[in-house]
Amino acid sequence: MARIVVFNQKGGVGKTTTTLNLVALLARRGSAPLAIDLDPQAHLSAICGTAASAGSDSLYAFYQDAKLLAELIRTSSNGWSIIPSHLDLSKVDTQFGKGPRALQRLSTGIAREHLNTDRPIVMDACPLLGVLSLNGIFACDRVLIPISADYLAVNGALQIDRTLRALERVLEKPPMRRFVTTRFDARRKMSWDIDRKLRERFGAEMCETRISESVGLAESPAQNCDVFTHAPESRGARDYIALLDELQAAGFVG
């Protein structure tokens, strides 16, 4: 099954929103996904009702105390599985260094515990390039990069493209990549200009689906739920359905 990391070195691009809604939709389709919150901000964990009260109840315990990943799995408010994050995860970069063993620790844990045998894993990566985000990249076989429709995000997309190409030299098998435009507003010429530039740059790696600005999509995290629970008829819900359909048809999610 697919191991997907949702990653961008720029914040505010819809990374957690994309992780949340892809996992929620996979669960609705019977795939029993496992989400892993690799971001010390723990926004995904909070939205899912699984915020850890201490680092020992979160993914941090896997690194600090060598707890099994399976021991840290919690059930979200909507019934799917998640390993929550905690602010203590921000210590991982300084505590565990950047050697090969540190960067492959999550990958090794997933394989050792056979967590990916019969269900997809979707990881919400830290937006900074460090041990945590690299753990996600080394553990994945797919990288999904959300890019919001603003000019600063284009520069961020070029930066992450350079980062991933540089990492190809040390990865056993370079992961499949897809870029997706988020926060797209069809009424704004700028959104179309940015989307065109991204398609010219990334070609077939760019998803046809665009995730539009949507009130329902923006409101759902504040309600601690995914868009399919909060606003199932919204444009945001339709867009994420289209995105998952596209990714599944391309063999990106399986």
Side-chain angles (χ1 to χ4, degrees), residues 70-88:
E71 293 179 25
L72 300 169
I73 295 175
R74 304 291 180 261
T75 301
S76 77
S77 52
N78 285 330
W80 37 270
S81 298
I82 178 172
I83 298 177
S85 180
H86 186 271
L87 185 60
D88 282 353

Side-chain angles (χ1 to χ4, degrees), residues 6 27 32 37 40 58 63 71 73 121 131-132 146 170 226 228-229:
V6 183
D37 192 349
S58 76
Y63 293 96
E71 293 179 25
I73 295 175
I121 293 177
V131 172
L132 281 175
V170 295
D226 57 82
F228 308 105
T229 300

